[in-house]
């Protein structure tokens, strides 16, 4: 009887995902309002392209691709953490209201700063992070019950209610925005990847480089917290303290990602489910794969959106929603 080594299966799956991601990156570099042929793309990558080809690839497409990949990774890891610590398969930064809190602070940001100004750009992730942390803290307090701690289901339901209230506040505030400010925020809410300059990459990259490895370092803790709470306590885990730390990591990843990519929904919901189905629930294997799946989903959505309706395109958030909303309803019915 032939036995298939589970570890080899995981390695093969990770390699296949990496190859798919690299293929999508190449396709995204070549497609758009102005297409680049394979010969033009190779020539430009090796420094032999024309000024026009260099402008298209290095000034417009490559920064946007990197932003999309980083944001997809951040949202996927954030959703993975939230699903594990709440033990709820429907948890997601958008569903829990974290993205709504970030969006509220983005409104304040565009009211007082110029979104395109490089001097204030690095403040945008901090604004979004502040909104996400305040929202998560409020949800946590509302879901906390003395003597019982935080019930995961109560946390999700509280988040859904607060998200609805925050989106209402966002709509009221947008009526006070000027036309250019409103256009920017409308694109942000629709999930249009608006970060298309290298300065946006520099604004997001430190958050991903710091927080994704930190989440991976907490894999054993996430494995334990994914068990029943009494078992976690019996294994010596300080559940509430560790849960707060992990929520902070998830909020920071989500807020930093959406601050420069737009209000992208459902990536944090779908990527963890796909990863678990393919490599299992152990976080040492599952988190890196979820990050790659998130990058693949968001990059594919952005590429499809850019190609369907040239030159304006469809925001990546809308493409993801078309896929994610039916999937969410399926999970609701199943779980």
């Amino acid at each position: 009887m032939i036995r298939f080594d589970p570890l080899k299966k995981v390695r093969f799956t990770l390699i296949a995902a990496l190859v798919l991601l690299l293929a999508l990156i190449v396709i995204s570099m070549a497609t758009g309002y102005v297409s680049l042929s394979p010969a033009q793309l190779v020539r430009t990558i090796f420094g032999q392209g024309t000024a026009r080809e260099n402008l298209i690839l290095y000034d417009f497409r490559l920064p946007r691709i990197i932003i999309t990949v980083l944001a997809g990774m951040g949202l996927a890891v954030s959703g993975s953490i939230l699903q594990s610590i709440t033990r709820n398969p429907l948890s997601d930064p958008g569903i829990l209201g974290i993205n709504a809190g970030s969006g509220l602070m983005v409104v304040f940001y565009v009211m007082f700063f110029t979104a395109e100004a490089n001097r204030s750009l690095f403040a945008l992730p901090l604004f979004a992070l502040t909104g996400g942390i305040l929202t998560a803290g409020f949800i946590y307090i509302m879901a906390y019950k003395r003597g019982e701690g935080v019930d995961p289901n109560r946390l999700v339901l509280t988040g859904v209610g607060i998200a609805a209230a925050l989106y209402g506040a966002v709509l009221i505030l947008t009526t006070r925005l000027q036309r250019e400010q409103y256009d920017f925020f409308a694109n942000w809410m629709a999930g249009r990847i608006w970060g298309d300059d290298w300065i946006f990459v520099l604004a997001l990259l430190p958050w991903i480089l710091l927080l994704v490895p930190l989440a991976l370092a907490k894999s054993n803790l996430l494995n334990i917290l994914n068990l029943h709470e009494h078992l976690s306590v019996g294994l010596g885990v300080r559940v509430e303290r560790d849960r707060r730390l992990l929520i902070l990591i998830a909020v920071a990843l989500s807020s930093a990602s959406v601050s420069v990519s737009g209000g992208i929904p459902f990536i944090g919901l779908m990527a963890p489910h796909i990863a678990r189905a393919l490599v299992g629930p152990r976080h040492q294997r599952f988190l890196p794969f979820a990050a790659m799946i998130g990058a693949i989903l968001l990059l594919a959505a952005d590429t499809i959106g850019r190609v369907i309706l040239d030159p304006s395109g469809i925001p990546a958030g809308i493409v993801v929603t078309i896929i994610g909303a039916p999937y969410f309803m399926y999970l609701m019915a199943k779980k």
Side-chain angles (χ1 to χ4, degrees), residues 57-133:
L57 182 60
Y58 291 110
D59 289 357
F60 295 127
R61 290 192 186 157
L62 205 53
R64 182 186 180 115
I65 290 169
I66 295 174
I67 281 290
T68 305
V69 169
L70 292 176
M73 293 174 63
L75 290 169
V77 174
S78 176
S80 301
I81 293 172
L82 292 173
Q83 287 180 15
S84 294
I85 62 178
T86 62
R87 300 189 299 277
N88 191 315
L90 301 179
S91 294
D92 167 83
I95 295 168
L96 285 180
I98 295 169
N99 287 356
S102 298
L104 183 63
M105 292 303 291
V106 169
V107 174
F108 287 120
Y109 174 84
V110 299
M111 288 176 70
F112 297 106
F113 296 94
T114 303
E116 291 78 11
N118 291 345
R119 61 181 175 83
S120 60
L121 179 65
F122 288 95
L124 182 54
L126 295 177
F127 268 68
L129 177 61
T130 301
I133 289 176

Side-chain angles (χ1 to χ4, degrees), residues 309-328:
L309 287 178
D310 282 336
S312 59
I314 300 174
I318 293 177
V319 178
V320 172
T321 301
I322 291 171
I323 302 169
Y327 186 71
F328 177 72

Side-chain angles (χ1 to χ4, degrees), residues 66-67 70-71 73-74 121-123 125-126 129 197-215 249 252-253 255-257 259-260:
I66 295 174
I67 281 290
L70 292 176
M73 293 174 63
L121 179 65
F122 288 95
L126 295 177
L129 177 61
D197 199 315
W198 288 106
I199 192 70
F200 295 90
V201 176
L202 294 176
L204 176 59
L205 187 61
W207 297 87
I208 302 299
L209 289 179
L210 174 65
L211 295 173
V212 170
L214 181 58
I249 294 172
L253 277 171
S255 301
S257 298
S259 68
V260 294

Side-chain angles (χ1 to χ4, degrees), residues 29-62:
M29 287 192 295
T31 56
Y33 183 62
V34 178
S35 297
L36 296 176
S37 68
Q40 288 175 314
L41 185 60
V42 171
R43 187 172 65 237
T44 306
I45 289 173
F46 285 98
Q48 303 298 318
T50 64
R52 177 172 175 268
E53 290 166 350
N54 285 326
L55 179 69
I56 292 171
L57 182 60
Y58 291 110
D59 289 357
F60 295 127
R61 290 192 186 157
L62 205 53

Side-chain angles (χ1 to χ4, degrees), residues 122-145:
F122 288 95
L124 182 54
L126 295 177
F127 268 68
L129 177 61
T130 301
I133 289 176
L134 291 175
T135 303
F138 186 66
I139 293 170
Y140 189 90
I141 292 170
M142 293 293 292
Y144 184 85
K145 194 171 182 181

